[in-house]
Every structure is written in C-alpha cells, then in structure tokens.
Amino acid sequence: MDTKSLRSRYEELVVEINQHNYRYHTLDAPIISDAEYDKLLNELKRIEADHPDWIAPDSPTQRAGAKAADRFEKVRHPAPILSLANAFGADDARAWYERVRKLDERVASAKFVVEPKIDGLSVVLHYRDGVFVQGATRGDGEVGEDITANLRTVKTIPLHIPVSRKQEAESGLPAAYRLPPSYLVVRGEAFMPVKEFEKLNEQLAEAGEKTYLNPRNTAAGSLRQLDPALTASRPLTLLVYQIVYSEGGQIPTSQWELLEYLKALGFPVTDVAKRFDDIESAIAYTETWNTRRDELTYEADGMVIKIDDLNLAAELGFVGKDPRGATAFKFPAREVTTKLLDIRVTVGRTGVLIPNAVLEPVEINGVIVERATLHNFDYIAEKDIRVGDRVLVKRAGEVIPYVIGPVADARTGKERKYKLPQVCPVCEQPVEHFEGEVAWYCVNAACPAQLQRNIEHFVSRGSMDINGLGFKIVEKLIDTGAIRDVADIYTLTREAILEAVTKKDRKTEKEPPGKIADNLLSAIAESKKQSLSRVITALGIRGVGEVSARDLATHFGNLDALSKASADDLQQIEGIGPNIAEAIVDWFARPANQKILKKLKVIGLWPVEQEKREKREGKLSGLTFVVTGALPNFSRDDAKEFIESNGGKVTDSISKNTNYLVLGENPGSKFDKAKSLGVKIIDEDELKKLAKSF
Ligand code: IVH
C-alpha cells in the first residue's frame, strides 16, 4: 500500500474503532466480535508503530496516557461550573417554582426536564474540532485540575465527536446542529456503578488493601490517581448533561433537545430523563423516583428539575453558585456522618460476640439513630474504625443501620484504636475464635447473656410460645439463679416467679404479681403440649429454623432418634446441608445440652410425632426412595406423602442406600447417578403397585 492510502486507511481505522468502542461501551450493543475488534486494533497498532508521527490524539490507542508528575496542572474553566440549590420535598420544589415565576412570568408557561442527580464527580470535557483535548475536575467552579490522561481511559468518553456521522445524520436533529461547534465544552458526572463498586471493594479487601467508603468516593479517588493505568483498571463511566461553553457552531436552546443532541454526538446520556408541560407533573414524576432509586445502576441522591428553555434559565441568573433555572430535588439521605462515641459488645444466642457502635444521635431518613452495627471485629480492623472517629453511617430500606467506615480526614489524633475483648463482657470468661470463622465467641454455656438469648428464643412465638416471660423477668430469674438453662422454665415455682416479678421495675405493671405468676405458670404448662417440631426449633440449634425443624421432626419422630443421628443421616434430609448437620450433631454432643434433654424428659416435655409413628409401618417399610422429574399424577409432595404413608423413607440424594429411584419426566442428574450406582428405577405406576404388592 502506498503511503497515501495507508494514511487514509489509518484515519479510517481510528473512526471505525472509535465507533465500535461506542457501540460496545455506551450503547451496550456491539456489532462485531471481540476477535474482529482485536484484529482492527492490531492493524491500527502496526501502522502506528511504523508511523509514530501519525498517531492522532483521538486514536483509540491513546486511552492510556502518561503518568502525571506529582500533581495535576490547573485548568481555568471557560465558564463557571455551577452548583444547584436543594429542595427537600414537593413543597420546597413548589416554593422554588413560585420564586422564579415571580421573577419572570414566562416561567408560568415553561416546560421542565427531570433528570437523575447522579452522586458522582463533576467533570468538564473539552473538544476542539471534534477531538477530545482536555478534561478537568470541577475544582472550585472556576479552576479545576487537569485529569485528561485519566479521563481518556474512561471508555464511554468519546475521543472524537460525532462518534458516527451516519448516526448523527439519522438523529433527526435540525441540520444546523449536525456539525459540532469547533470548540465545545461539556459537563457530566463521572461515577462507578454500584455493582462494580461492590466488586472492586471485595477485591481490594481480599488483597488486603484499603477499601472505599462509597461509589462516589471511589470514583473521585480513581480519577485523581497520578497513574492513568490505575484509573483504566477502575470501571468508571459518566453521563453528560450540560454544554458549558461553545464556539463556532450552533447548539440547542432547550435542555430536552440538548440531551438528544449530546446523545447524537456519541455522549452517554441518561435514559430516564423526561420533559413535562407543567411543574406539578414534573414533581409527581420526581417523587416516583423516591422509591425507585434502587432501579438505577448508579447512586443518585435526588432528581434535578430544570427549566427546559435554556435562554430563559440563563436569564434568571443565579444566587451565589446556584443557577435559578434548576433545583435539586433531594432524596432522603441514607448516609450521614456522626461521632463514634463507643464500641460495646453484646452476646448473641450462639455466644457470638457482636460489636455495636454507640453514636452521637443523628437523624437518617426520619429516624434518630444512636446505635449501629459494626458487623464483626475483622470489620473494625479492616476499616480501621477508631473510637472517637467521625464515621459514615448508612440506613437504607430494611437494613439495620451500619457503620460504613471512618472519615479519616476528620481525625484529630484523639481517636483510639479498638482492642478486641479478651473476655466475654457479660460472664468474663475467655473468648474463643474458631478456625475459618471471623466471629469470636463466648463458649461458656452458662453465660447469663447467652442464656438470656436462649430463653428469649425458647419462649418466642415460633418456638414454645410462652407468653409472659419477657426480657426483664427472665433477667431476674437468671439473676436469682431460678433459671440456669431453658429446662428450668418447667420447674419454676410460684415463689420464684413472684420474687422476680416484684424485683423488676413495677411502674409499668398493671396486674397484681399473683395474677402474673398464675398466668405465667399456666402458659408454661400449656406449652408442654407443643409439637416436636416446635421443641426442636426452641432448642436454638444454629441454622435450624422452623422449616428444618419440621423436616427433622417428621423424619426422626422423637428427640431420642434425632440425638443419635449422625451427620450423614441428617444430610439425607432435604434442606439439611453439611453445616447444619454438623451443628445438630455438635449441639447434641454437648454435656450441657444432654443435661437439658434429660430434664425435659423428666418433666414430660418429650413429644413424639404421632403421625410419623403410624405411617412408619406399611408395605414400603425399610425402603428408601428418591424421586426425580415430574410424575404424571403425583406432585413431588404427593409422592413423598404416598411413600411415607406406606412406611417408606424419602431422601433427597441418591446413595448406595437408596432402594428405588422414582423417575418422572425431565429427570435431573439423579437419574445418571442412580444408573451408575445400580439403583432400581421405577415409574409412578410401579411405585403404586409396589405399595400394594407386598
Ligand atoms: S445540573 C447549571 N444535572 O449535582 C448546572 N447537576 O448538587 C448545574 N449533578 O454540581 C448542575 N447530576 O455535580 C446537574 N443531571 C444533573 C446532575 C448534576 C449530578 C451534580 C453536579 C452538581 C451537583 C449539585
């Protein structure tokens, strides 16, 4: 190829690859395979290697640039990079509207554009003759920092606009807008999608590196790296929403058309923006996002309501740094900072020690928060959370408020590092740590804190359902030694209860102590009638909830059988995995628990699953079945019920102990396993015959 045609091939490649990048990163709609893409890129790289003087600033190879020295250069923005005044709620937004309407009557007939307010980092991008030449942070609004090399690595920032002339021609924009101005400066918000942020933080934690507080903080940190290669490895993107400045060309005069225009040039633009004819519909739309904000892939701290007519908006001027033509309608905050006053440790039911943050009270989304979880001790160490720190606290949806991490910049030097407790804060016995677990435990079975939790669980609704054994009474009963384990509930005397009732704070009590004691005694007596599955639930074995308890009850029929089961036996039951099986075996092996069982037997709390007993004898007795695939007449449960009512046993997985596999349509891997183990395979009809034939 002669030099001239090679040069034009080169220029063609730059445009073509940039278009593929755009389709892949911004539109999420590539039209060539990765291999084809690589081929084009390699061709481009070969030409650039032979002709380094040809390398264009908008060449896709220029995304990873040189390292900055020890700081970033300053950039003066061509026009002020403004901020936004906030509105908290619909009335605030209406007040903003009324204010601007009084200033200019034209506002009364204005249209409004509503856009998400992305919680990221404002960036300013300069294009000369369509080529991306400079990118800066917002800085103080007048002067920012030159982070061009870092921004180049953000794949959704077009290195050349329009990315595709064809696309622009088909955009439906008026012809006057089709050629971008010779100098165009746009503004957008750079951010890291929430999922990517979580992934990155996991990776950083695994590598033992410092994690980031939130996506915003991460985006800012990533863009201000002195080494663009590091920025390139961070999954950053942006959405563009404003033209800050332009020369030599025409640009739209309405926000709505501006967004269309920016999109046509190849910039990533939000797809949830909407235009409204009046303020009330704009507010109504804005408010729907209060509950929908989690649908966005990025964090938004509100919506922005903008007057669509950009000339009108500009004429309205600004107050300080806030333009009058727009307002930020803020979502209720989910994260706030406050002071970490102390770290207190509580003991959970299984003895697990839980560190809790005692906070200077702070309002988050309408609720005063004074306590927050710190998850576990590793978390405190990993995030380097110190007592006295200003901490970032999050409360969102149903989650319990938790401390995200310290605001390290706010440290005064008076903060103190947290030391792991050596002993249980309640019983003062040494704490223990198990291989492979992050948690620390109080392993003292007689620890009053653990006992308290055990009893709370034992008497709770889904367990023995004993009304009247509240926190305070239990605390007193433990204090006086009347209760040393859950079984002691059944040998409580009237006197012991009376003593506890009178000892506890009586101010709120309406009933006479004698009545309280009698009611409690009858509730306790009544609870002896509870089913086996409830008793199993009540024992509080780690991982055994109401559902597993029911399965265990039907499978074993009584506590004797259950207590003798091996981990293998237990795993035959659907829904019981190795961890729960282990926890069950472990629970029954503990002497303290053996003692509880003995006591329960003596007092007559020893339910048997009657049904199970009767069912156990039948034509299928002694046989173990596994069911797989869809049977013609039986549902899976029906089949199970049928086999069990005829005395057979149903398990979830095939082993050499399985006698029959009952096979339906579309069987899973169990079919293959049964064949390989030589297990007899039958269908529904054969099963029915089997139940009758013996
Ligand atoms: S408009 C004159 N639109 O929010 C234009 N800002 O709290 C003023 N932001 O500094 C900004 N998403 O960094 C605008 N769709 C959006 C935005 C947005 C995020 C940021 C921006 C601004 C801050 C104000």
Side-chain angles (χ1 to χ4, degrees):
M1 211 185 277
D2 61 42
T3 310
K4 199 161 158 247
S5 35
L6 188 67
R7 175 85 198 222
S8 69
R9 173 64 184 152
Y10 173 71
E11 277 157 16
E12 210 175 271
L13 279 169
V14 168
V15 173
E16 194 181 342
I17 298 172
N18 276 337
Q19 281 177 35
H20 289 308
N21 272 334
Y22 169 73
R23 297 200 60 97
Y24 185 89
H25 294 288
T26 302
L27 300 182
D28 254 339
I31 48 171
I32 59 168
S33 68
D34 289 2
E36 287 165 292
Y37 175 85
D38 289 342
K39 214 172 135 199
L40 293 175
L41 193 62
N42 283 335
E43 187 184 348
L44 180 88
K45 282 182 180 164
R46 269 198 311 274
I47 303 177
E48 288 188 345
D50 293 340
H51 302 274
D53 53 318
W54 288 359
I55 299 178
D58 56 347
S59 159
T61 60
Q62 299 306 296
R63 287 222 179 248
K67 288 187 191 187
D70 55 348
R71 60 182 186 87
F72 298 107
E73 297 296 325
K74 299 276 182 241
V75 186
R76 181 161 289 277
H77 301 305
I81 301 303
L82 299 174
S83 186
L84 283 174
N86 291 330
F88 298 94
D91 285 344
D92 252 16
R94 286 185 193 110
W96 161 73
Y97 169 78
E98 287 305 328
R99 275 197 310 276
V100 285
R101 192 183 53 84
K102 277 192 193 128
L103 278 177
D104 195 320
E105 253 315 307
R106 286 176 294 169
V107 171
S109 54
K111 292 181 175 151
F112 299 88
V113 173
V114 177
E115 298 168 23
K117 183 169 169 343
I118 304 136
D119 200 7
L121 192 79
S122 242
V123 292
V124 182
L125 312 172
H126 299 235
Y127 289 83
R128 285 204 186 267
D129 298 320
V131 178
F132 174 61
V133 288
Q134 190 170 50
T137 62
R138 174 174 188 270
D140 61 4
E142 304 285 333
V143 176
E145 285 179 320
D146 185 338
I147 53 166
T148 313
N150 290 344
L151 286 171
R152 266 186 203 291
T153 69
V154 176
K155 309 273 198 324
T156 43
I157 292 183
L159 295 180
H160 191 279
I161 51 167
V163 172
S164 147
R165 290 221 172 266
K166 183 163 166 276
Q167 174 201 1
E168 201 222 2
E170 288 168 0
S171 66
L173 290 176
Y177 296 155
R178 288 210 191 135
L179 199 68
S182 53
Y183 182 35
L184 182 73
V185 183
V186 301
R187 173 185 184 181
E189 202 77 358
F191 60 91
M192 187 175 289
V194 179
K195 284 234 167 66
E196 303 288 353
F197 158 73
E198 285 166 356
K199 233 193 279 168
L200 175 69
N201 249 4
E202 265 169 40
Q203 287 165 0
L204 289 173
E206 262 168 38
E209 284 177 48
K210 222 174 132 21
T211 52
Y212 285 102
L213 289 180
N214 52 34
R216 201 202 110 74
N217 182 281
T218 320
S222 304
L223 278 175
R224 299 193 71 256
Q225 299 280 350
L226 288 170
D227 180 4
L230 235 157
T231 312
S233 72
R234 299 283 168 83
L236 294 167
T237 183
L238 92 165
L239 289 170
V240 172
Y241 54 78
Q242 193 196 352
I243 291 181
V244 174
Y245 184 78
S246 79
E247 261 175 34
Q250 231 178 313
I251 55 165
T253 54
S254 94
Q255 178 65 11
W256 185 250
E257 281 162 23
L258 188 92
L259 292 176
E260 290 291 311
Y261 175 67
L262 291 169
K263 199 193 279 182
L265 289 180
F267 289 105
V269 172
T270 173
D271 54 6
V272 304
K274 271 197 167 141
R275 179 160 66 171
F276 298 94
D277 287 338
D278 60 280
I279 187 70
E280 283 307 322
S281 2
I283 291 175
Y285 178 66
T286 300
E287 284 190 307
T288 62
W289 282 96
N290 256 334
T291 48
R292 291 177 62 195
R293 63 198 276 195
D294 290 330
E295 287 172 27
L296 301 169
T297 53
Y298 45 85
E299 287 213 332
D301 55 347
M303 300 296 276
V304 188
I305 306 180
K306 298 179 178 177
I307 290 179
D308 187 40
D309 180 342
L310 293 172
N311 290 329
L312 172 57
E315 276 177 46
L316 287 169
F318 36 89
V319 188
K321 285 186 173 165
D322 306 330
R324 288 204 180 89
T327 191
F329 189 111
K330 300 278 283 205
F331 294 143
R334 291 168 157 182
E335 291 178 19
V336 299
T337 66
T338 186
K339 194 172 170 183
L340 176 64
L341 302 174
D342 197 5
I343 295 177
R344 288 206 194 130
V345 177
T346 54
V347 185
R349 189 159 55 78
T350 52
V352 62
L353 300 184
I354 307 155
N356 293 293
V358 181
L359 304 168
E360 209 165 76
V362 64
E363 196 223 280
I364 314 181
N365 205 348
V367 171
I368 304 289
V369 175
E370 293 176 75
R371 293 290 173 112
T373 179
L374 285 159
H375 303 299
N376 54 56
F377 298 104
D378 272 13
Y379 187 79
I380 298 175
E382 224 166 69
K383 302 269 171 183
D384 186 21
I385 296 168
R386 304 180 194 177
V387 175
D389 261 337
R390 260 210 106 64
V391 287
L392 195 57
V393 181
K394 181 161 188 165
R395 175 182 168 269
E398 298 304 304
V399 301
I400 301 166
Y402 67 96
V403 174
I404 300 178
V407 184
D409 288 344
R411 286 205 172 129
T412 62
K414 287 198 189 123
E415 300 76 15
R416 59 183 171 80
K417 287 216 172 204
Y418 180 72
K419 278 204 208 74
L420 206 94
Q422 302 295 301
V423 296
C424 166
V426 179
C427 69
E428 298 186 341
Q429 294 293 304
V431 297
E432 274 187 34
H433 189 237
F434 302 116
E435 188 71 34
E437 274 194 49
V438 273
W440 284 77
Y441 289 90
C442 167
V443 289
N444 172 17
C447 171
Q450 244 188 93
L451 182 54
Q452 176 94 34
R453 303 276 174 282
N454 278 336
I455 292 173
E456 273 169 30
H457 174 74
F458 191 86
V459 304
S460 67
R461 272 228 181 140
S463 302
M464 302 307 282
D465 195 15
I466 303 175
N467 225 332
L469 264 183
F471 183 86
K472 283 271 161 63
I473 294 194
V474 171
E475 200 175 24
K476 296 293 175 231
L477 290 168
I478 293 173
D479 265 3
T480 58
I483 289 186
R484 292 202 165 84
D485 61 36
V486 292
D488 288 344
I489 292 173
Y490 292 93
T491 48
L492 277 177
T493 60
R494 193 165 188 274
E495 289 67 43
I497 298 172
L498 277 177
E499 192 189 337
V501 173
T502 13
K503 264 193 167 183
K504 87 178 234 231
D505 181 13
R506 299 265 4 260
K507 266 179 251 155
T508 52
E509 230 37 90
K510 284 177 211 88
E511 296 191 19
K515 180 120 194 268
I516 294 174
D518 291 338
N519 285 347
L520 181 53
L521 282 171
S522 64
I524 293 171
E526 188 65 19
S527 80
K528 282 190 179 180
K529 296 181 196 152
Q530 293 289 21
S531 65
L532 176 60
S533 70
R534 277 187 177 251
V535 176
I536 296 173
T537 307
L539 296 178
I541 303 167
R542 211 187 309 169
V544 179
E546 289 174 38
V547 176
S548 318
R550 203 172 308 134
D551 292 341
L552 291 168
T554 19
H555 191 89
F556 291 100
N558 63 58
L559 285 172
D560 278 319
L562 175 60
S563 71
K564 285 182 198 125
S566 70
D568 274 352
D569 297 339
L570 289 161
Q571 282 185 67
Q572 296 297 312
I573 302 170
E574 200 171 317
I576 308 277
N579 289 337
I580 299 181
E582 204 58 58
I584 296 171
V585 172
D586 185 63
W587 194 93
F588 283 101
R590 284 174 188 261
N593 295 334
Q594 291 286 345
K595 206 163 124 196
I596 292 173
L597 289 175
K598 252 188 214 145
K599 286 189 188 174
L600 292 180
K601 204 167 200 173
V602 170
I603 57 123
L605 182 61
W606 205 256
V608 283
E609 193 87 350
Q610 284 302 338
E611 246 184 290
K612 179 78 194 169
R613 280 277 151 120
E614 287 154 12
K615 280 179 190 168
R616 200 157 261 185
E617 292 313 308
K619 302 227 164 129
L620 304 180
S621 284
L623 296 175
T624 302
F625 293 79
V626 172
V627 184
T628 187
L631 302 179
N633 300 303
F634 280 158
S635 72
R636 192 63 73 82
D637 276 352
D638 290 342
K640 212 172 153 188
E641 174 70 33
F642 178 80
I643 294 167
E644 285 174 353
S645 65
N646 283 288
K649 195 165 119 185
V650 180
T651 66
D652 194 38
S653 51
I654 305 256
S655 72
K656 49 184 187 326
N657 299 325
T658 311
N659 300 95
Y660 292 97
L661 176 73
V662 186
L663 185 69
E665 293 252 355
N666 300 322
S669 59
K670 287 173 192 166
F671 181 40
D672 299 325
K673 188 150 185 214
K675 279 190 290 188
S676 73
L677 287 176
V679 173
K680 272 178 246 160
I681 297 168
I682 57 172
D683 62 15
E684 188 187 289
D685 276 347
E686 287 168 302
L687 171 68
K688 286 179 184 159
K689 276 186 212 141
L690 207 59
K692 287 189 192 126
S693 66
F694 280 83

